[in-house]
Amino acid sequence: MTRIIAGFAGSLPLAVPRSGTRPTSDRVREAIFSALDARGGLDGLRVLDLYAGSGTLGLEALSRGAAVVTLVEKHAAAAGVIRKNAATVLGALPKASGGSSAPRADVVTQAVQPYLRALPVVPGAGFDVVFIDPPYELPEAELADDLTTLAPLLDPDAVVLVERSSRTPEPTWPAGLALDRTRSYGETVLWWASPTP
């Protein structure tokens, strides 16, 4: 069973689509969010979860303090599961946390490239944290296109996390985005990148 690990919704179970998704393991999620905590945490940040699947990464970020999480998933059935999971997580909010400053989860049923291309570049309003956990069979050229389109949409201090199979090569980083570090966890490899001037 997949659960939220920590934050206001800690230990709540999340539904997983019947097929077509590969939720990030608890061990890998713990590593991801420990690293994000070491960078200053997620309080008030804008988070983007591409190829969201069941929404576990984005909703974990929401539980841990992110202000707005946008979850992009092209498969309608999976997007429906994410909406239910988001309602479960937001339902765990302490009653005093309502109002205009309450965290928000936006679920977008769309392919990643059309979604990114439609976003305006707004200085000072870019994404702070981006999770990219595509299907392992996603072609490397498509991932490279995603990264290229994403780069101008990032906050200058943003972090981009790409989760792939350990059998896949390092992503092709576009101008404006550079690799910070790599971590491997069995069959999973995490690539951490950040914007460059």
Side-chain angles (χ1 to χ4, degrees):
M1 177 171 294
T2 300
R3 294 180 179 273
I4 295 291
I5 297 169
F8 68 78
S11 82
L12 278 179
L14 297 178
V16 175
R18 289 185 182 184
S19 63
T21 62
R22 173 189 36 77
T24 302
S25 72
D26 285 358
R27 176 181 173 226
V28 174
R29 269 191 298 145
E30 282 278 18
I32 290 169
F33 286 95
S34 291
L36 290 171
D37 284 345
R39 290 176 57 104
L42 291 155
D43 284 351
L45 298 187
R46 296 173 295 262
V47 175
L48 178 62
D49 187 352
L50 300 176
Y51 303 96
S54 60
T56 54
L57 289 172
L59 295 176
E60 184 77 39
L62 193 72
S63 179
R64 292 174 184 245
V68 180
V69 176
T70 304
L71 304 107
V72 181
E73 172 55 57
K74 72 176 181 178
H75 297 290
V81 170
I82 297 170
R83 284 187 182 89
K84 289 178 185 173
N85 285 337
T88 298
V89 170
L90 289 170
L93 263 175
K95 297 302 179 206
S97 300
S100 60
S101 63
R104 192 176 86 229
D106 299 327
V107 182
V108 178
T109 309
Q110 191 174 13
V112 166
Q113 268 298 316
Y115 170 75
L116 292 176
R117 286 185 184 139
L119 291 177
V121 175
V122 181
F127 294 106
D128 300 297
V129 177
V130 181
F131 301 116
I132 306 177
D133 182 13
Y136 281 170
E137 65 272 14
L138 184 82
E140 295 304 313
E142 194 168 330
L143 176 59
D145 287 346
D146 293 344
L147 292 166
T148 299
T149 311
L150 174 67
L153 302 169
L154 299 171
D155 183 81
D157 296 321
V159 59
V160 176
L161 176 65
V162 179
E163 180 177 338
R164 295 290 270 161
S165 164
S166 57
R167 295 183 296 277
T168 57
E170 179 179 341
T172 301
W173 305 107
L177 201 56
L179 179 67
D180 288 332
R181 62 190 170 124
T182 305
R183 295 289 183 272
S184 294
Y185 304 87
E187 285 293 301
T188 300
V189 61
L190 302 177
W191 306 91
W192 297 80
S194 57
T196 56

